[in-house]
Amino acid sequence: MTDTEKIRKRGRPRAFDRERALDQAQALFHVHGYEGVGVAALASAMGINPPSFYAAFGSKAQLFDEILARYAQASPLLDVLDLTGIDPAAALASLLRNAASAYSADPALAGCLVLENGRSTDTDAACRARGCRDVSVATIRDFVARSHPEQAQVVADYVAAVMSGLSSDARAGHATDRLVAIADMAALAIRAMLEPEGR
């Protein structure tokens, strides 16, 4: 091997690891929110320069859309609604308990990325995050509607409101046992909503 070939081999840049880059971007958006992270910080965390960032992701907003979809797809929270034959009140109780645990599992990434960015001061980013949230609310509503069509929307809205509160409390540093206690209390209200009148 010639000296020139050795120099070329040493100087060859590492291959761009897109998944690792997305992990880094997701963590930044989770911790700092959309408005708290600039393109320079994102590019630095990903190990690329700003021109390469735009070439790979288009824009910060497009990257955020990809992160939201990725986060929602990877979240197992709604999986409990896919179980056949499960009592809807029990399923929603499990959903809330799982959310309480997930939102507080890692203090460095506390809360829900989607719900917290729905409170963003950047109007466009907040709208994008709330759109992702609305998909989850619709999934919960459709699940409840299979057995309780008349209560489906209010129950879905209530579950979403509780999850938003759990996320906020997790961000404030509340311990998992406190969040689970809230989830269990909310589960009692959900069961009451879904029980036939007169029982």
Side-chain angles (χ1 to χ4, degrees), residues 71-161:
Y71 181 83
Q73 186 175 19
S75 173
L77 291 180
L78 297 182
D79 290 355
V80 68
L81 307 185
D82 292 331
L83 300 176
T84 56
I86 189 169
D87 171 60
L92 296 175
S94 293
L95 169 61
L96 291 178
R97 285 180 66 92
N98 292 344
S101 297
Y103 294 166
S104 57
D106 183 352
L109 298 173
C112 171
L113 182 147
V114 170
L115 295 175
E116 294 308 312
N117 277 283
R119 308 183 227 273
S120 175
T121 56
D122 183 289
T123 305
D124 183 60
C127 184
R128 292 167 188 268
R130 286 196 294 266
C132 190
R133 170 194 177 275
D134 290 345
V135 171
S136 295
V137 174
T139 300
I140 296 169
R141 182 198 63 219
D142 293 346
F143 168 75
V144 177
R146 294 178 209 159
S147 54
H148 299 79
E150 293 182 7
Q151 295 97 327
Q153 189 64 64
V154 68
V155 170
D157 288 341
Y158 178 72
V159 170

Side-chain angles (χ1 to χ4, degrees), residues 11-197:
R12 184 178 299 147
R14 290 180 302 172
F16 177 61
D17 186 337
R18 186 181 178 86
E19 284 306 307
R20 182 183 176 282
L22 289 171
D23 285 342
Q24 299 299 319
Q26 183 171 310
L28 285 177
F29 283 134
H30 200 139
V31 173
H32 301 291
Y34 181 86
E35 70 279 11
V37 184
V39 169
L42 287 165
S44 176
M46 293 172 168
I48 56 178
N49 56 35
S52 297
F53 171 88
Y54 289 112
F57 301 104
S59 69
K60 177 181 167 182
Q62 286 175 282
L63 170 63
F64 187 58
D65 276 342
E66 185 171 349
I67 293 296
L68 288 174
R70 183 178 189 255
Y71 181 83
Q73 186 175 19
S75 173
L77 291 180
L78 297 182
D79 290 355
V80 68
L81 307 185
D82 292 331
L83 300 176
T84 56
I86 189 169
D87 171 60
L92 296 175
S94 293
L95 169 61
L96 291 178
R97 285 180 66 92
N98 292 344
S101 297
Y103 294 166
S104 57
D106 183 352
L109 298 173
C112 171
L113 182 147
V114 170
L115 295 175
E116 294 308 312
N117 277 283
R119 308 183 227 273
S120 175
T121 56
D122 183 289
T123 305
D124 183 60
C127 184
R128 292 167 188 268
R130 286 196 294 266
C132 190
R133 170 194 177 275
D134 290 345
V135 171
S136 295
V137 174
T139 300
I140 296 169
R141 182 198 63 219
D142 293 346
F143 168 75
V144 177
R146 294 178 209 159
S147 54
H148 299 79
E150 293 182 7
Q151 295 97 327
Q153 189 64 64
V154 68
V155 170
D157 288 341
Y158 178 72
V159 170
V162 173
M163 292 179 77
S164 181
L166 292 171
S167 177
S168 181
D169 283 351
R171 293 281 282 197
H174 291 198
T176 300
D177 59 343
R178 289 182 66 182
L179 300 183
V180 169
I182 294 169
D184 288 343
M185 186 65 69
L188 295 176
I190 292 168
R191 184 162 292 282
M193 290 182 207
L194 298 180
E195 280 186 350
E197 291 185 17

